[in-house]
């Protein structure tokens, strides 16, 4: 028989995603970045670069200092640059359109 437990909804939400400590660390990188410069983060083989990308994006959103993030091809380096809110909104719009297009092409190819 399974054991029944209850946890508050807020605690469940907090468990999803990236810990706030990690996001706060990436906030410092964004705050230290001067306008007109590109920040570089180098990662070792054991470090999760995708987690870092998500944490960097979340940190930018929380600070309202939006960033464009790019992974250097063939390297374990993330490049990030501050962008305006308008540029960030345009990027999100393109990302959503690309996701819809990909989803619809998968459905039509499965038939």
């Amino acid at each position: 028989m399974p054991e029944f437990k209850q946890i508050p909804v807020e605690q469940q939400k907090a468990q999803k995603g990236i810990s706030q400590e990690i996001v706060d660390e990436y906030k410092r990188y964004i705050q230290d970045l001067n306008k007109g410069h590109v920040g570089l983060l180098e990662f070792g083989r054991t470090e999760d670069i995708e987690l870092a990308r998500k944490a960097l994006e979340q940190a930018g959103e929380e600070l309202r200092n939006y960033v464009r993030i790019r992974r250097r091809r063939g390297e374990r380096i993330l490049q990030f640059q501050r962008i305006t809110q308008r540029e960030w909104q345009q990027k999100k719009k393109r990302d959503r359109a690309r996701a819809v297009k990909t989803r619809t092409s998968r459905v039509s190819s499965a038939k």
Side-chain angles (χ1 to χ4, degrees):
M1 198 79 180
E3 182 179 332
F4 176 73
K5 292 182 181 180
Q6 294 185 50
I7 59 172
V9 174
E10 287 77 25
Q11 184 180 352
Q12 176 68 23
K13 287 180 182 177
Q15 290 175 352
K16 292 182 180 179
I18 303 162
S19 74
Q20 193 60 43
E21 295 165 348
I22 295 172
V23 173
D24 291 341
E25 180 181 338
Y26 283 92
K27 282 181 182 179
R28 287 197 320 258
Y29 299 141
I30 293 171
Q31 291 170 332
D32 290 345
L33 184 65
N34 296 323
K35 287 193 176 200
H37 288 80
V38 174
L40 298 174
L41 296 172
E42 294 186 46
F43 295 88
R45 295 226 178 264
T46 59
E47 295 173 311
D48 187 354
I49 197 165
E50 287 306 313
L51 175 73
R53 174 190 284 277
K54 291 174 186 173
L56 191 60
E57 187 172 318
Q58 183 175 334
E61 289 177 19
E62 287 180 13
L63 288 171
R64 293 186 183 233
N65 286 329
Y66 304 102
V67 289
R68 176 182 302 128
I69 306 166
R70 180 178 171 263
R71 181 176 178 175
R72 285 190 171 182
R73 190 177 304 237
E75 298 180 30
R76 297 195 50 80
I77 295 176
L78 282 182
Q79 250 178 237
F80 64 100
Q81 180 178 0
R82 288 170 102 173
I83 58 174
T84 65
Q85 184 177 8
R86 184 171 183 226
E87 290 173 314
W88 181 79
Q89 288 171 340
Q90 289 171 342
K91 178 190 175 308
K92 287 295 183 185
K93 187 176 180 180
R94 284 191 309 266
D95 290 349
R96 282 191 300 271
R98 185 179 303 130
V100 168
K101 185 177 179 180
T102 303
R103 202 171 327 143
T104 56
S105 68
R106 276 192 224 148
V107 171
S108 62
S109 65
K111 290 181 181 181

